[in-house]
Amino acid sequence: MTKTLTKQGICSTKRFRKMAATAVIIAVIDLIGGMFDEIIAGHLVGEIGITVVGLGYPLLAFFLFFAGMFGVGTIMHYLKALGEGNNEKAQKILFESFVSAIVLSTLTAVLLYIFRVPVVRFLGATDEILDITLAYYMPLVITVIFN
């Protein structure tokens, strides 16, 4: 079985390095994006800006975590189907996972939009920073669709 998988290139070092490099690049971009948000908010807005970004980060981290879990689960089922030699099932898994991810993330974004005020209040926004928190929060809600 291992020889077959290696022969087909599924477990080849080159392919594994490409997938691993992509995952690392995405993680670094997410980290840098968060750092730049804090830096820009601190320099342009001040303490309130840092507070607002700090309120949005747990929400973003929550969705990145679940997107990662969804992706890992998909890959595990996909690779299992490929290992069994069932390419049709593997393609079906990818398609269904893609559609499920789009539907779930869009539904989540809509719910987050509808309940935006209670959500940001739950995260810690006070009346003093509610408007600026909502202004920062809305682009985060839109990005949920693309996670």
Side-chain angles (χ1 to χ4, degrees), residues 3-146:
K3 288 181 182 179
T4 305
L5 290 176
T6 305
K7 247 185 205 179
Q8 292 175 352
I10 295 169
C11 295
S12 71
T13 305
K14 188 176 181 179
R15 183 173 280 184
F16 176 77
R17 285 184 183 160
K18 281 184 180 179
M19 288 189 295
T22 303
V24 169
I25 289 169
I26 290 170
V28 168
I29 289 171
D30 285 338
L31 178 66
I32 290 172
M35 287 174 30
F36 278 122
D37 277 355
E38 292 280 346
I39 292 167
I40 291 169
H43 285 289
L44 297 179
V45 183
E47 292 176 8
I48 291 176
I50 292 174
T51 303
V52 168
V53 172
L55 289 174
Y57 183 75
L59 183 69
L60 187 59
F62 178 78
F63 289 110
L64 290 174
F65 170 75
F66 278 104
M69 283 182 32
F70 196 85
V72 168
T74 297
I75 288 298
M76 296 302 290
H77 287 290
Y78 173 74
L79 291 176
K80 181 181 177 199
L82 282 180
E84 294 169 348
N86 194 342
N87 290 336
E88 213 173 283
K89 181 180 177 183
Q91 293 304 316
K92 183 179 177 186
I93 288 169
L94 284 182
F95 176 76
E96 289 175 355
S97 296
F98 182 72
V99 170
S100 297
I102 289 172
V103 169
L104 288 173
S105 60
T106 303
L107 179 64
T108 302
V110 168
L111 289 172
L112 286 172
Y113 176 77
I114 292 169
F115 298 107
R116 63 190 174 275
V117 174
V119 170
V120 296
R121 288 215 184 267
F122 174 77
L123 292 172
T126 61
D127 289 335
E128 183 181 313
I129 61 170
L130 183 62
D131 290 338
I132 194 167
T133 303
L134 288 172
Y136 178 75
Y137 173 83
M138 291 315 299
L140 287 179
V141 169
I142 293 167
T143 64
V144 167
I145 295 172
F146 303 105

